Amino acid sequence: MTVLDDIIAGARRDLEERKARTPIDDVIRAAQAAAPALDPMPRFRAPELAVISEVKRKSPSKGELANITDPASLAASYAEGGAAAISVLTEKHRFNGTLADLDAVRARVDVPLLRKDFMVEEYQFHEARAHGADLVLLIVAALTDDELTRFLALTADLGMTALVETHTAEEVDRALAVGAELVGVNNRNLKTLDVDLATFGGLAERIGDSAVKVAESGILTTDDVARVAAEGADVILVGEALVKHGDPTRAIGSFMAAAERATHS
């Protein structure tokens, strides 16, 4: 069993507990009552690099990253720094996140929010919308082509945007084949947790202009930002470097400035 398999198995167990507490009909009604989802794509398609800043307490590869007692305050710092969107981990076992974190952040900021979790059933998409998410994550390695197609359609029906995450050329091809418009390249192999920052550059050309390109994981310094920006990243998703920085507002600005220099030098 890979690390990804183990995480998904845990996510399914947690999902069954939530389904037992809250019937799907109640979740659907809550999703329908939520304010309309925000559209992140205009900002993601803008010439300037967009930053998705992540509220992330821990990870399977690094363990504890930060003691985030007030996710809403951290999110407000991200928004002040110019974050185009904010990612909130809601998986509890490996990442120590909760849907309550998403609720708190939604109540505090008015930028698009990504529910960062392992989405494997339709229930979770209605749940995401009910808690104010504007984006959801679809991990190609965890889903069949049929699931990708169905989940992309459901995401659109709910007014949300799907970040379709890839790690290999085959996964990029699968993402593009089902019509993904926002394609992430994760520099971390979720099956082994190994990180190789060259992964993004190796796949960016394959994506081309078919979709907005997001570089994920392993982006820790302004040099890393400059590298992926020069390789064609439209968006970066950064968690560890921001939660450990001490001044995330300033860090986001420095990342955006590094990208500007890299793409206009």
Side-chain angles (χ1 to χ4, degrees), residues 102-138:
L102 185 59
D103 292 335
V105 173
R106 176 75 292 161
R108 184 71 174 271
V109 302
D110 58 1
V111 299
L113 300 185
L114 165 65
R115 180 194 180 178
K116 187 84 171 290
D117 212 320
F118 298 81
M119 310 294 282
V120 292
E121 288 193 24
E122 293 185 2
Y123 183 101
Q124 295 168 289
F125 293 80
H126 296 285
E127 188 179 53
R129 188 79 280 277
H131 287 269
D134 308 291
L135 302 97
V136 292
L137 181 70
L138 302 183

PDB file of all heavy atoms in Angstrom, residues 102-138:
ATOM      1  N   LEU A 102     -11.973  25.498   7.805  1.00  0.00           N
ATOM      2  CA  LEU A 102     -12.522  26.096   6.587  1.00  0.00           C
ATOM      3  C   LEU A 102     -13.620  27.097   6.924  1.00  0.00           C
ATOM      4  O   LEU A 102     -13.679  28.195   6.354  1.00  0.00           O
ATOM      5  CB  LEU A 102     -13.059  24.995   5.670  1.00  0.00           C
ATOM      6  CG  LEU A 102     -13.559  25.417   4.294  1.00  0.00           C
ATOM      7  CD1 LEU A 102     -12.474  26.092   3.476  1.00  0.00           C
ATOM      8  CD2 LEU A 102     -14.110  24.205   3.538  1.00  0.00           C
ATOM      9  N   ASP A 103     -14.483  26.739   7.876  1.00  0.00           N
ATOM     10  CA  ASP A 103     -15.544  27.657   8.304  1.00  0.00           C
ATOM     11  C   ASP A 103     -14.961  28.955   8.857  1.00  0.00           C
ATOM     12  O   ASP A 103     -15.440  30.054   8.539  1.00  0.00           O
ATOM     13  CB  ASP A 103     -16.410  26.997   9.384  1.00  0.00           C
ATOM     14  CG  ASP A 103     -17.237  25.841   8.872  1.00  0.00           C
ATOM     15  OD1 ASP A 103     -17.538  25.805   7.661  1.00  0.00           O
ATOM     16  OD2 ASP A 103     -17.589  24.965   9.687  1.00  0.00           O
ATOM     17  N   ALA A 104     -13.934  28.824   9.696  1.00  0.00           N
ATOM     18  CA  ALA A 104     -13.336  30.008  10.325  1.00  0.00           C
ATOM     19  C   ALA A 104     -12.708  30.915   9.288  1.00  0.00           C
ATOM     20  O   ALA A 104     -12.850  32.150   9.337  1.00  0.00           O
ATOM     21  CB  ALA A 104     -12.304  29.571  11.363  1.00  0.00           C
ATOM     22  N   VAL A 105     -11.998  30.322   8.333  1.00  0.00           N
ATOM     23  CA  VAL A 105     -11.351  31.119   7.296  1.00  0.00           C
ATOM     24  C   VAL A 105     -12.389  31.781   6.400  1.00  0.00           C
ATOM     25  O   VAL A 105     -12.258  32.960   6.040  1.00  0.00           O
ATOM     26  CB  VAL A 105     -10.382  30.243   6.477  1.00  0.00           C
ATOM     27  CG1 VAL A 105      -9.837  31.016   5.282  1.00  0.00           C
ATOM     28  CG2 VAL A 105      -9.238  29.762   7.362  1.00  0.00           C
ATOM     29  N   ARG A 106     -13.440  31.033   6.054  1.00  0.00           N
ATOM     30  CA  ARG A 106     -14.487  31.597   5.191  1.00  0.00           C
ATOM     31  C   ARG A 106     -15.141  32.812   5.844  1.00  0.00           C
ATOM     32  O   ARG A 106     -15.488  33.794   5.159  1.00  0.00           O
ATOM     33  CB  ARG A 106     -15.537  30.520   4.906  1.00  0.00           C
ATOM     34  CG  ARG A 106     -16.747  30.975   4.091  1.00  0.00           C
ATOM     35  CD  ARG A 106     -16.432  31.155   2.610  1.00  0.00           C
ATOM     36  NE  ARG A 106     -15.535  32.278   2.306  1.00  0.00           N
ATOM     37  CZ  ARG A 106     -14.858  32.388   1.173  1.00  0.00           C
ATOM     38  NH1 ARG A 106     -14.939  31.470   0.235  1.00  0.00           N
ATOM     39  NH2 ARG A 106     -14.074  33.441   0.980  1.00  0.00           N
ATOM     40  N   ALA A 107     -15.303  32.764   7.150  1.00  0.00           N
ATOM     41  CA  ALA A 107     -15.944  33.877   7.855  1.00  0.00           C
ATOM     42  C   ALA A 107     -15.056  35.110   7.916  1.00  0.00           C
ATOM     43  O   ALA A 107     -15.544  36.219   8.143  1.00  0.00           O
ATOM     44  CB  ALA A 107     -16.330  33.442   9.271  1.00  0.00           C
ATOM     45  N   ARG A 108     -13.761  34.942   7.667  1.00  0.00           N
ATOM     46  CA  ARG A 108     -12.808  36.037   7.862  1.00  0.00           C
ATOM     47  C   ARG A 108     -12.370  36.708   6.559  1.00  0.00           C
ATOM     48  O   ARG A 108     -12.138  37.932   6.543  1.00  0.00           O
ATOM     49  CB  ARG A 108     -11.579  35.506   8.595  1.00  0.00           C
ATOM     50  CG  ARG A 108     -10.529  36.541   8.953  1.00  0.00           C
ATOM     51  CD  ARG A 108     -11.003  37.472  10.069  1.00  0.00           C
ATOM     52  NE  ARG A 108      -9.935  38.355  10.496  1.00  0.00           N
ATOM     53  CZ  ARG A 108      -9.058  38.071  11.457  1.00  0.00           C
ATOM     54  NH1 ARG A 108      -9.127  36.922  12.122  1.00  0.00           N
ATOM     55  NH2 ARG A 108      -8.119  38.931  11.784  1.00  0.00           N
ATOM     56  N   VAL A 109     -12.227  35.946   5.488  1.00  0.00           N
ATOM     57  CA  VAL A 109     -11.659  36.508   4.258  1.00  0.00           C
ATOM     58  C   VAL A 109     -12.632  36.375   3.094  1.00  0.00           C
ATOM     59  O   VAL A 109     -13.534  35.536   3.103  1.00  0.00           O
ATOM     60  CB  VAL A 109     -10.319  35.835   3.886  1.00  0.00           C
ATOM     61  CG1 VAL A 109      -9.315  35.980   5.017  1.00  0.00           C
ATOM     62  CG2 VAL A 109     -10.520  34.373   3.531  1.00  0.00           C
ATOM     63  N   ASP A 110     -12.411  37.222   2.088  1.00  0.00           N
ATOM     64  CA  ASP A 110     -13.308  37.201   0.921  1.00  0.00           C
ATOM     65  C   ASP A 110     -12.574  36.816  -0.364  1.00  0.00           C
ATOM     66  O   ASP A 110     -12.984  37.178  -1.456  1.00  0.00           O
ATOM     67  CB  ASP A 110     -14.006  38.547   0.750  1.00  0.00           C
ATOM     68  CG  ASP A 110     -13.030  39.701   0.584  1.00  0.00           C
ATOM     69  OD1 ASP A 110     -11.807  39.451   0.576  1.00  0.00           O
ATOM     70  OD2 ASP A 110     -13.488  40.854   0.467  1.00  0.00           O
ATOM     71  N   VAL A 111     -11.467  36.081  -0.213  1.00  0.00           N
ATOM     72  CA  VAL A 111     -10.767  35.556  -1.384  1.00  0.00           C
ATOM     73  C   VAL A 111     -11.206  34.105  -1.587  1.00  0.00           C
ATOM     74  O   VAL A 111     -11.710  33.464  -0.664  1.00  0.00           O
ATOM     75  CB  VAL A 111      -9.236  35.640  -1.227  1.00  0.00           C
ATOM     76  CG1 VAL A 111      -8.795  37.076  -1.050  1.00  0.00           C
ATOM     77  CG2 VAL A 111      -8.764  34.788  -0.055  1.00  0.00           C
ATOM     78  N   PRO A 112     -11.035  33.565  -2.793  1.00  0.00           N
ATOM     79  CA  PRO A 112     -11.435  32.180  -3.038  1.00  0.00           C
ATOM     80  C   PRO A 112     -10.706  31.196  -2.119  1.00  0.00           C
ATOM     81  O   PRO A 112      -9.522  31.354  -1.837  1.00  0.00           O
ATOM     82  CB  PRO A 112     -11.054  31.955  -4.505  1.00  0.00           C
ATOM     83  CG  PRO A 112     -11.103  33.319  -5.112  1.00  0.00           C
ATOM     84  CD  PRO A 112     -10.598  34.240  -4.045  1.00  0.00           C
ATOM     85  N   LEU A 113     -11.450  30.163  -1.693  1.00  0.00           N
ATOM     86  CA  LEU A 113     -10.894  29.153  -0.799  1.00  0.00           C
ATOM     87  C   LEU A 113     -10.891  27.784  -1.469  1.00  0.00           C
ATOM     88  O   LEU A 113     -11.888  27.371  -2.069  1.00  0.00           O
ATOM     89  CB  LEU A 113     -11.712  29.062   0.495  1.00  0.00           C
ATOM     90  CG  LEU A 113     -11.819  30.313   1.361  1.00  0.00           C
ATOM     91  CD1 LEU A 113     -12.567  29.997   2.644  1.00  0.00           C
ATOM     92  CD2 LEU A 113     -10.439  30.901   1.665  1.00  0.00           C
ATOM     93  N   LEU A 114      -9.771  27.101  -1.322  1.00  0.00           N
ATOM     94  CA  LEU A 114      -9.628  25.725  -1.783  1.00  0.00           C
ATOM     95  C   LEU A 114      -9.787  24.793  -0.592  1.00  0.00           C
ATOM     96  O   LEU A 114      -9.067  24.920   0.401  1.00  0.00           O
ATOM     97  CB  LEU A 114      -8.245  25.524  -2.409  1.00  0.00           C
ATOM     98  CG  LEU A 114      -7.762  24.086  -2.635  1.00  0.00           C
ATOM     99  CD1 LEU A 114      -8.642  23.372  -3.658  1.00  0.00           C
ATOM    100  CD2 LEU A 114      -6.298  24.069  -3.073  1.00  0.00           C
ATOM    101  N   ARG A 115     -10.745  23.868  -0.701  1.00  0.00           N
ATOM    102  CA  ARG A 115     -10.804  22.805   0.300  1.00  0.00           C
ATOM    103  C   ARG A 115      -9.771  21.757  -0.105  1.00  0.00           C
ATOM    104  O   ARG A 115      -9.931  21.047  -1.084  1.00  0.00           O
ATOM    105  CB  ARG A 115     -12.184  22.148   0.363  1.00  0.00           C
ATOM    106  CG  ARG A 115     -12.206  21.041   1.424  1.00  0.00           C
ATOM    107  CD  ARG A 115     -13.388  20.121   1.339  1.00  0.00           C
ATOM    108  NE  ARG A 115     -13.296  19.106   2.398  1.00  0.00           N
ATOM    109  CZ  ARG A 115     -14.201  18.173   2.622  1.00  0.00           C
ATOM    110  NH1 ARG A 115     -15.281  18.113   1.874  1.00  0.00           N
ATOM    111  NH2 ARG A 115     -14.034  17.289   3.593  1.00  0.00           N
ATOM    112  N   LYS A 116      -8.706  21.649   0.656  1.00  0.00           N
ATOM    113  CA  LYS A 116      -7.616  20.725   0.338  1.00  0.00           C
ATOM    114  C   LYS A 116      -7.869  19.422   1.095  1.00  0.00           C
ATOM    115  O   LYS A 116      -7.705  19.351   2.311  1.00  0.00           O
ATOM    116  CB  LYS A 116      -6.283  21.344   0.746  1.00  0.00           C
ATOM    117  CG  LYS A 116      -5.064  20.534   0.309  1.00  0.00           C
ATOM    118  CD  LYS A 116      -4.695  20.874  -1.117  1.00  0.00           C
ATOM    119  CE  LYS A 116      -3.351  20.236  -1.489  1.00  0.00           C
ATOM    120  NZ  LYS A 116      -2.210  20.862  -0.785  1.00  0.00           N
ATOM    121  N   ASP A 117      -8.309  18.427   0.359  1.00  0.00           N
ATOM    122  CA  ASP A 117      -8.621  17.139   0.964  1.00  0.00           C
ATOM    123  C   ASP A 117      -8.562  16.085  -0.128  1.00  0.00           C
ATOM    124  O   ASP A 117      -8.271  16.395  -1.289  1.00  0.00           O
ATOM    125  CB  ASP A 117      -9.995  17.171   1.637  1.00  0.00           C
ATOM    126  CG  ASP A 117     -10.080  16.275   2.869  1.00  0.00           C
ATOM    127  OD1 ASP A 117      -9.522  15.150   2.822  1.00  0.00           O
ATOM    128  OD2 ASP A 117     -10.704  16.677   3.869  1.00  0.00           O
ATOM    129  N   PHE A 118      -8.852  14.877   0.236  1.00  0.00           N
ATOM    130  CA  PHE A 118      -8.792  13.759  -0.699  1.00  0.00           C
ATOM    131  C   PHE A 118     -10.224  13.407  -1.097  1.00  0.00           C
ATOM    132  O   PHE A 118     -10.936  12.715  -0.371  1.00  0.00           O
ATOM    133  CB  PHE A 118      -8.039  12.596  -0.053  1.00  0.00           C
ATOM    134  CG  PHE A 118      -6.621  12.964   0.266  1.00  0.00           C
ATOM    135  CD1 PHE A 118      -6.313  13.678   1.414  1.00  0.00           C
ATOM    136  CD2 PHE A 118      -5.601  12.668  -0.621  1.00  0.00           C
ATOM    137  CE1 PHE A 118      -5.009  14.063   1.691  1.00  0.00           C
ATOM    138  CE2 PHE A 118      -4.291  13.055  -0.362  1.00  0.00           C
ATOM    139  CZ  PHE A 118      -3.995  13.754   0.800  1.00  0.00           C
ATOM    140  N   MET A 119     -10.624  13.923  -2.241  1.00  0.00           N
ATOM    141  CA  MET A 119     -12.023  13.872  -2.670  1.00  0.00           C
ATOM    142  C   MET A 119     -12.278  12.571  -3.424  1.00  0.00           C
ATOM    143  O   MET A 119     -11.726  12.339  -4.502  1.00  0.00           O
ATOM    144  CB  MET A 119     -12.341  15.081  -3.552  1.00  0.00           C
ATOM    145  CG  MET A 119     -11.924  16.424  -2.972  1.00  0.00           C
ATOM    146  SD  MET A 119     -12.827  16.894  -1.478  1.00  0.00           S
ATOM    147  CE  MET A 119     -14.378  17.462  -2.194  1.00  0.00           C
ATOM    148  N   VAL A 120     -13.137  11.733  -2.846  1.00  0.00           N
ATOM    149  CA  VAL A 120     -13.377  10.414  -3.442  1.00  0.00           C
ATOM    150  C   VAL A 120     -14.853  10.076  -3.589  1.00  0.00           C
ATOM    151  O   VAL A 120     -15.198   9.076  -4.221  1.00  0.00           O
ATOM    152  CB  VAL A 120     -12.683   9.307  -2.610  1.00  0.00           C
ATOM    153  CG1 VAL A 120     -11.172   9.426  -2.720  1.00  0.00           C
ATOM    154  CG2 VAL A 120     -13.121   9.354  -1.143  1.00  0.00           C
ATOM    155  N   GLU A 121     -15.751  10.913  -3.016  1.00  0.00           N
ATOM    156  CA  GLU A 121     -17.186  10.663  -3.132  1.00  0.00           C
ATOM    157  C   GLU A 121     -17.933  11.978  -3.322  1.00  0.00           C
ATOM    158  O   GLU A 121     -17.487  13.035  -2.861  1.00  0.00           O
ATOM    159  CB  GLU A 121     -17.727   9.952  -1.891  1.00  0.00           C
ATOM    160  CG  GLU A 121     -17.314   8.496  -1.775  1.00  0.00           C
ATOM    161  CD  GLU A 121     -18.120   7.772  -0.713  1.00  0.00           C
ATOM    162  OE1 GLU A 121     -19.251   8.206  -0.397  1.00  0.00           O
ATOM    163  OE2 GLU A 121     -17.617   6.756  -0.190  1.00  0.00           O
ATOM    164  N   GLU A 122     -19.089  11.894  -3.971  1.00  0.00           N
ATOM    165  CA  GLU A 122     -19.873  13.086  -4.263  1.00  0.00           C
ATOM    166  C   GLU A 122     -20.253  13.850  -3.005  1.00  0.00           C
ATOM    167  O   GLU A 122     -20.345  15.083  -3.024  1.00  0.00           O
ATOM    168  CB  GLU A 122     -21.116  12.707  -5.067  1.00  0.00           C
ATOM    169  CG  GLU A 122     -20.797  12.199  -6.470  1.00  0.00           C
ATOM    170  CD  GLU A 122     -22.032  11.951  -7.305  1.00  0.00           C
ATOM    171  OE1 GLU A 122     -23.155  12.212  -6.815  1.00  0.00           O
ATOM    172  OE2 GLU A 122     -21.887  11.489  -8.444  1.00  0.00           O
ATOM    173  N   TYR A 123     -20.493  13.143  -1.918  1.00  0.00           N
ATOM    174  CA  TYR A 123     -20.843  13.778  -0.645  1.00  0.00           C
ATOM    175  C   TYR A 123     -19.875  14.903  -0.316  1.00  0.00           C
ATOM    176  O   TYR A 123     -20.284  15.988   0.127  1.00  0.00           O
ATOM    177  CB  TYR A 123     -20.820  12.723   0.455  1.00  0.00           C
ATOM    178  CG  TYR A 123     -21.234  13.188   1.831  1.00  0.00           C
ATOM    179  CD1 TYR A 123     -22.513  12.927   2.315  1.00  0.00           C
ATOM    180  CD2 TYR A 123     -20.348  13.846   2.677  1.00  0.00           C
ATOM    181  CE1 TYR A 123     -22.903  13.325   3.596  1.00  0.00           C
ATOM    182  CE2 TYR A 123     -20.715  14.247   3.949  1.00  0.00           C
ATOM    183  CZ  TYR A 123     -21.993  13.986   4.402  1.00  0.00           C
ATOM    184  OH  TYR A 123     -22.365  14.387   5.671  1.00  0.00           O
ATOM    185  N   GLN A 124     -18.581  14.664  -0.532  1.00  0.00           N
ATOM    186  CA  GLN A 124     -17.562  15.642  -0.145  1.00  0.00           C
ATOM    187  C   GLN A 124     -17.654  16.946  -0.934  1.00  0.00           C
ATOM    188  O   GLN A 124     -17.268  18.005  -0.432  1.00  0.00           O
ATOM    189  CB  GLN A 124     -16.170  15.042  -0.337  1.00  0.00           C
ATOM    190  CG  GLN A 124     -15.867  13.864   0.568  1.00  0.00           C
ATOM    191  CD  GLN A 124     -14.611  13.157   0.114  1.00  0.00           C
ATOM    192  OE1 GLN A 124     -14.612  12.499  -0.922  1.00  0.00           O
ATOM    193  NE2 GLN A 124     -13.537  13.284   0.873  1.00  0.00           N
ATOM    194  N   PHE A 125     -18.160  16.876  -2.156  1.00  0.00           N
ATOM    195  CA  PHE A 125     -18.258  18.074  -2.985  1.00  0.00           C
ATOM    196  C   PHE A 125     -19.386  18.980  -2.486  1.00  0.00           C
ATOM    197  O   PHE A 125     -19.213  20.195  -2.378  1.00  0.00           O
ATOM    198  CB  PHE A 125     -18.467  17.673  -4.448  1.00  0.00           C
ATOM    199  CG  PHE A 125     -17.275  16.984  -5.040  1.00  0.00           C
ATOM    200  CD1 PHE A 125     -17.050  15.638  -4.797  1.00  0.00           C
ATOM    201  CD2 PHE A 125     -16.355  17.684  -5.798  1.00  0.00           C
ATOM    202  CE1 PHE A 125     -15.939  14.989  -5.317  1.00  0.00           C
ATOM    203  CE2 PHE A 125     -15.237  17.054  -6.324  1.00  0.00           C
ATOM    204  CZ  PHE A 125     -15.031  15.705  -6.078  1.00  0.00           C
ATOM    205  N   HIS A 126     -20.516  18.379  -2.163  1.00  0.00           N
ATOM    206  CA  HIS A 126     -21.601  19.160  -1.563  1.00  0.00           C
ATOM    207  C   HIS A 126     -21.166  19.701  -0.196  1.00  0.00           C
ATOM    208  O   HIS A 126     -21.482  20.841   0.166  1.00  0.00           O
ATOM    209  CB  HIS A 126     -22.849  18.282  -1.408  1.00  0.00           C
ATOM    210  CG  HIS A 126     -23.423  17.802  -2.697  1.00  0.00           C
ATOM    211  ND1 HIS A 126     -24.150  18.629  -3.536  1.00  0.00           N
ATOM    212  CD2 HIS A 126     -23.362  16.600  -3.304  1.00  0.00           C
ATOM    213  CE1 HIS A 126     -24.523  17.939  -4.602  1.00  0.00           C
ATOM    214  NE2 HIS A 126     -24.059  16.718  -4.496  1.00  0.00           N
ATOM    215  N   GLU A 127     -20.426  18.892   0.529  1.00  0.00           N
ATOM    216  CA  GLU A 127     -19.907  19.287   1.839  1.00  0.00           C
ATOM    217  C   GLU A 127     -18.972  20.490   1.704  1.00  0.00           C
ATOM    218  O   GLU A 127     -19.054  21.457   2.482  1.00  0.00           O
ATOM    219  CB  GLU A 127     -19.166  18.096   2.424  1.00  0.00           C
ATOM    220  CG  GLU A 127     -18.695  18.207   3.837  1.00  0.00           C
ATOM    221  CD  GLU A 127     -18.002  16.915   4.257  1.00  0.00           C
ATOM    222  OE1 GLU A 127     -17.072  16.459   3.547  1.00  0.00           O
ATOM    223  OE2 GLU A 127     -18.381  16.371   5.308  1.00  0.00           O
ATOM    224  N   ALA A 128     -18.097  20.449   0.713  1.00  0.00           N
ATOM    225  CA  ALA A 128     -17.178  21.560   0.481  1.00  0.00           C
ATOM    226  C   ALA A 128     -17.934  22.853   0.213  1.00  0.00           C
ATOM    227  O   ALA A 128     -17.620  23.908   0.771  1.00  0.00           O
ATOM    228  CB  ALA A 128     -16.253  21.235  -0.691  1.00  0.00           C
ATOM    229  N   ARG A 129     -18.933  22.778  -0.634  1.00  0.00           N
ATOM    230  CA  ARG A 129     -19.720  23.960  -0.981  1.00  0.00           C
ATOM    231  C   ARG A 129     -20.495  24.464   0.231  1.00  0.00           C
ATOM    232  O   ARG A 129     -20.619  25.671   0.460  1.00  0.00           O
ATOM    233  CB  ARG A 129     -20.667  23.624  -2.135  1.00  0.00           C
ATOM    234  CG  ARG A 129     -21.418  24.816  -2.728  1.00  0.00           C
ATOM    235  CD  ARG A 129     -20.554  25.639  -3.674  1.00  0.00           C
ATOM    236  NE  ARG A 129     -19.651  26.550  -2.970  1.00  0.00           N
ATOM    237  CZ  ARG A 129     -19.997  27.737  -2.511  1.00  0.00           C
ATOM    238  NH1 ARG A 129     -21.248  28.175  -2.670  1.00  0.00           N
ATOM    239  NH2 ARG A 129     -19.127  28.503  -1.924  1.00  0.00           N
ATOM    240  N   ALA A 130     -21.014  23.534   1.037  1.00  0.00           N
ATOM    241  CA  ALA A 130     -21.765  23.915   2.233  1.00  0.00           C
ATOM    242  C   ALA A 130     -20.901  24.675   3.220  1.00  0.00           C
ATOM    243  O   ALA A 130     -21.386  25.541   3.954  1.00  0.00           O
ATOM    244  CB  ALA A 130     -22.350  22.675   2.900  1.00  0.00           C
ATOM    245  N   HIS A 131     -19.602  24.375   3.220  1.00  0.00           N
ATOM    246  CA  HIS A 131     -18.668  25.047   4.139  1.00  0.00           C
ATOM    247  C   HIS A 131     -17.958  26.229   3.492  1.00  0.00           C
ATOM    248  O   HIS A 131     -17.007  26.761   4.067  1.00  0.00           O
ATOM    249  CB  HIS A 131     -17.661  24.042   4.679  1.00  0.00           C
ATOM    250  CG  HIS A 131     -18.241  23.085   5.683  1.00  0.00           C
ATOM    251  ND1 HIS A 131     -18.239  23.319   7.044  1.00  0.00           N
ATOM    252  CD2 HIS A 131     -18.878  21.899   5.518  1.00  0.00           C
ATOM    253  CE1 HIS A 131     -18.828  22.326   7.662  1.00  0.00           C
ATOM    254  NE2 HIS A 131     -19.218  21.441   6.765  1.00  0.00           N
ATOM    255  N   GLY A 132     -18.407  26.647   2.323  1.00  0.00           N
ATOM    256  CA  GLY A 132     -17.899  27.873   1.726  1.00  0.00           C
ATOM    257  C   GLY A 132     -16.724  27.725   0.791  1.00  0.00           C
ATOM    258  O   GLY A 132     -16.110  28.728   0.408  1.00  0.00           O
ATOM    259  N   ALA A 133     -16.379  26.505   0.392  1.00  0.00           N
ATOM    260  CA  ALA A 133     -15.258  26.323  -0.534  1.00  0.00           C
ATOM    261  C   ALA A 133     -15.616  26.811  -1.934  1.00  0.00           C
ATOM    262  O   ALA A 133     -16.756  26.671  -2.380  1.00  0.00           O
ATOM    263  CB  ALA A 133     -14.847  24.853  -0.588  1.00  0.00           C
ATOM    264  N   ASP A 134     -14.624  27.349  -2.606  1.00  0.00           N
ATOM    265  CA  ASP A 134     -14.776  27.799  -3.991  1.00  0.00           C
ATOM    266  C   ASP A 134     -14.028  26.883  -4.957  1.00  0.00           C
ATOM    267  O   ASP A 134     -14.316  26.860  -6.149  1.00  0.00           O
ATOM    268  CB  ASP A 134     -14.233  29.224  -4.135  1.00  0.00           C
ATOM    269  CG  ASP A 134     -14.833  30.162  -3.106  1.00  0.00           C
ATOM    270  OD1 ASP A 134     -16.034  30.453  -3.211  1.00  0.00           O
ATOM    271  OD2 ASP A 134     -14.109  30.576  -2.174  1.00  0.00           O
ATOM    272  N   LEU A 135     -13.034  26.173  -4.436  1.00  0.00           N
ATOM    273  CA  LEU A 135     -12.262  25.217  -5.218  1.00  0.00           C
ATOM    274  C   LEU A 135     -12.161  23.904  -4.450  1.00  0.00           C
ATOM    275  O   LEU A 135     -12.198  23.893  -3.209  1.00  0.00           O
ATOM    276  CB  LEU A 135     -10.837  25.707  -5.490  1.00  0.00           C
ATOM    277  CG  LEU A 135     -10.597  27.018  -6.209  1.00  0.00           C
ATOM    278  CD1 LEU A 135     -10.328  28.135  -5.204  1.00  0.00           C
ATOM    279  CD2 LEU A 135      -9.405  26.885  -7.156  1.00  0.00           C
ATOM    280  N   VAL A 136     -11.991  22.815  -5.205  1.00  0.00           N
ATOM    281  CA  VAL A 136     -11.707  21.517  -4.610  1.00  0.00           C
ATOM    282  C   VAL A 136     -10.536  20.894  -5.362  1.00  0.00           C
ATOM    283  O   VAL A 136     -10.240  21.271  -6.498  1.00  0.00           O
ATOM    284  CB  VAL A 136     -12.917  20.575  -4.642  1.00  0.00           C
ATOM    285  CG1 VAL A 136     -14.015  21.069  -3.713  1.00  0.00           C
ATOM    286  CG2 VAL A 136     -13.440  20.396  -6.066  1.00  0.00           C
ATOM    287  N   LEU A 137      -9.904  19.921  -4.720  1.00  0.00           N
ATOM    288  CA  LEU A 137      -8.749  19.243  -5.297  1.00  0.00           C
ATOM    289  C   LEU A 137      -9.156  17.880  -5.830  1.00  0.00           C
ATOM    290  O   LEU A 137      -9.772  17.080  -5.111  1.00  0.00           O
ATOM    291  CB  LEU A 137      -7.667  19.074  -4.231  1.00  0.00           C
ATOM    292  CG  LEU A 137      -6.373  18.395  -4.670  1.00  0.00           C
ATOM    293  CD1 LEU A 137      -5.588  19.311  -5.602  1.00  0.00           C
ATOM    294  CD2 LEU A 137      -5.530  18.020  -3.447  1.00  0.00           C
ATOM    295  N   LEU A 138      -8.793  17.602  -7.078  1.00  0.00           N
ATOM    296  CA  LEU A 138      -8.972  16.275  -7.664  1.00  0.00           C
ATOM    297  C   LEU A 138      -7.588  15.715  -7.961  1.00  0.00           C
ATOM    298  O   LEU A 138      -6.848  16.291  -8.768  1.00  0.00           O
ATOM    299  CB  LEU A 138      -9.796  16.338  -8.954  1.00  0.00           C
ATOM    300  CG  LEU A 138     -11.204  16.930  -8.865  1.00  0.00           C
ATOM    301  CD1 LEU A 138     -11.895  16.833 -10.218  1.00  0.00           C
ATOM    302  CD2 LEU A 138     -12.019  16.221  -7.800  1.00  0.00           C
TER     303      LEU A 138
END
